[in-house]
Amino acid sequence: MEKKILSDSELNQVAGGVGGTVVASGSFTSNTGTQLNLLVNWLVQSDSYGQKTLYVDVNATSYSLYSNGGGVELTVNGMVYTANASSVNYGGSSRVTNRLASFTVPGVSGAVSLNAVWHFNGSYSGVPLGDIRASGVANV
């Protein structure tokens, strides 16, 4: 599992510019064995009342990629959230990150289990890939 320290601009992007104090953040990735993987960025903000909200972006990292979207599921401590993935139409030769879906989960605390699934159901570099999964823990 690859971890990354998010910059202030990345943190703000994950939270959609929402106000509050960032109390925790991080990221984790999948490992498909190809250059196509999920990158999950998360952060937790606390408001003036101490209420904590989790913001999660599920992204595809890849080189050239064409996808009609598919579904994205995020399971947070057993609760499943779903979204339609944004389509990706990138034919470049540089590695890029494309946001597939964003989620907002209020009222989090403690060790929060996160499991993201993108129902890709295609192939990448000749490797068939169905569901691409990434999981981690957000310690709030």
Side-chain angles (χ1 to χ4, degrees), residues 69-139:
V72 176
E73 294 176 9
L74 178 70
T75 305
V76 180
N77 285 345
M79 177 73 75
V80 179
Y81 300 85
T82 61
N84 291 322
S86 299
S87 61
V88 177
N89 186 14
Y90 174 65
S93 59
S94 298
R95 187 170 183 81
V96 296
T97 299
N98 289 285
R99 182 181 296 158
L100 299 173
S102 296
F103 299 89
T104 301
V105 183
V108 296
S109 64
V112 179
S113 172
L114 302 173
N115 294 290
V117 179
W118 178 26
H119 302 294
F120 175 66
N121 297 321
S123 63
Y124 193 80
S125 297
V127 177
L129 298 170
D131 291 346
I132 301 176
R133 301 173 181 273
S135 61
V137 174
N139 289 306

Side-chain angles (χ1 to χ4, degrees), residues 34-105:
T34 72
Q35 293 297 321
L36 171 61
N37 282 287
L38 286 186
L39 168 64
V40 179
N41 293 328
W42 61 268
L43 71 77
V44 176
Q45 286 187 327
S46 179
D47 65 17
S48 58
Y49 300 103
Q51 179 75 20
K52 294 177 182 173
T53 302
L54 172 69
Y55 299 92
V56 180
D57 278 346
V58 178
N59 308 281
T61 61
S62 66
Y63 291 90
S64 181
L65 176 64
Y66 298 93
S67 168
N68 289 330
V72 176
E73 294 176 9
L74 178 70
T75 305
V76 180
N77 285 345
M79 177 73 75
V80 179
Y81 300 85
T82 61
N84 291 322
S86 299
S87 61
V88 177
N89 186 14
Y90 174 65
S93 59
S94 298
R95 187 170 183 81
V96 296
T97 299
N98 289 285
R99 182 181 296 158
L100 299 173
S102 296
F103 299 89
T104 301
V105 183

